[in-house]
Amino acid sequence: MQKLCILGSTGSIGVSTLDVVARHPDRYQVFALTAHSQVEKLALQCEQFNPQIAVVGSAKAASELQRLLLGKNLKTEVSYGSQALCDVASSVDCDTVMAAIVGAAGLPASLAAARAGKKVLLANKEALVMSGQIFINTVRDSGATLLPIDSEHNAIFQCLPHNYNRHPSEYGISKIILTASGGPFLNRNLESLSDVTPDEAVAHPNWVMGRKISIDSATMMNKGLEVIEAHWLFATPAEQIEVLIHPQSVIHSMVSYNDGSVLAQMGNPDMRTPIAYGLAYPERIASGVAPLDLVKIAKLHFEAPDFKRFPCLDLAYAALKAGQTASTILNASNEVAVQAFLDGKIGFRMIDQIIARVLDKIALSSADDIESILECDKETRVITQALLAS
Ligand code: NAD
Ligand code: MG
């Protein structure tokens, strides 16, 4: 019986994870569930899975959850705050942690799981983008198992050799090809992009996801973050990571080898496939995802990305190449700018412009420890907010 901690259980990834878990009660037991503020949704999840601990974001949310669980005859203890998230993620009572909190807020708990040597199912790409080498070193030193849940990275993981030891050249790997749907604005008139609304931007053609990652998909910053994520996960230089537009999202990514072979992983666009893969690895279990009907799909389309339409992609490659804290700054300024767009404070095209200005403004530093990373994240947020207010 694998004991699970699901960080961000009320989100899109959290809900899909519980859907897969519910199909296999003989394999998985839920130790902890966590949510920031969606207390009612979390209460329903507690009723269904009866976890030992439920963690929320504030004392107020905790007493609300306690009230909702009263008289339900559950074993669930309620706790709150960021230390409580780290405690459940590193508890001796859990083996596997689904890291599915969105944004930088997920870093401390994701890292705590890695430090404690857990099997870490990483959806929270921002944690890895922010802390790169520190995260990877932590996994190496603790003996944790890091399994990518992001569909592209899960696909690449499946297409790499089983004994892959982070040296692409030793395995004849010439390139990693990250596929991208291009989001809702792939073919939209460029001039009209300044006027798009948050509702138009979150309406992704193939995937149903949280609001932040949906905006990141519309700007293609999501793919930019994924380039950086792929660099750290698979020890591949930026030059060997290519982005390919594939609007149908059937091929989730590919690995190209020097003998001319290109291995691809395919499937319907449904996050339960990579989640089930991560949960059961190295076995395979049913995920509830419908089988792929290639006759119905009939044609697969590919094209090169237009870096002028998607400047965020360029900014991410540049940040990866610049090294040091550039990716931390990129991630933090993006989070602030995306929130400002969602709140109706700035237009869509302002997102990339703000990030570019912030990257120009802050001097890069080496940041060898997590405290410096968190400090850089904080400083970037202050500077981005000041730019937004000016
Ligand atoms: P979401 O917005 O649907 O859910 C986010 C979860 O994080 C919620 O449970 C929320 O309660 C929790 N949370 C938010 N802020 C928090 C805070 N400050 N402290 C603690 N918890 C907090 O997001 P999502 O779409 O499920 O994405 C989660 C992560 O997975 C992101 O990093 C995203 O990039 C990644 N991801 C998502 C998908 C997808 O299909 N949704 C695909 C690939 C990767
Ligand atoms: Mg992805």
Side-chain angles (χ1 to χ4, degrees), residues 13 53 105-106 122 132 136 144 167 182 192 200 269 272 336 344 358 370 388:
I13 293 288
I53 308 182
L122 188 73
I136 292 300
H167 294 284
S192 72
E200 285 176 284
R272 290 176 300 175
V336 175
V358 174
I370 207 67
L388 287 171

Side-chain angles (χ1 to χ4, degrees), residues 154-161 173 253-255 257 263-265 277:
N154 192 271
I156 293 159
F157 186 81
Q158 295 192 44
C159 296
L160 284 171
I173 295 162
S253 276
M254 303 180 241
V255 177
Y257 290 87
L263 301 193
Q265 186 260 351
Y277 184 87

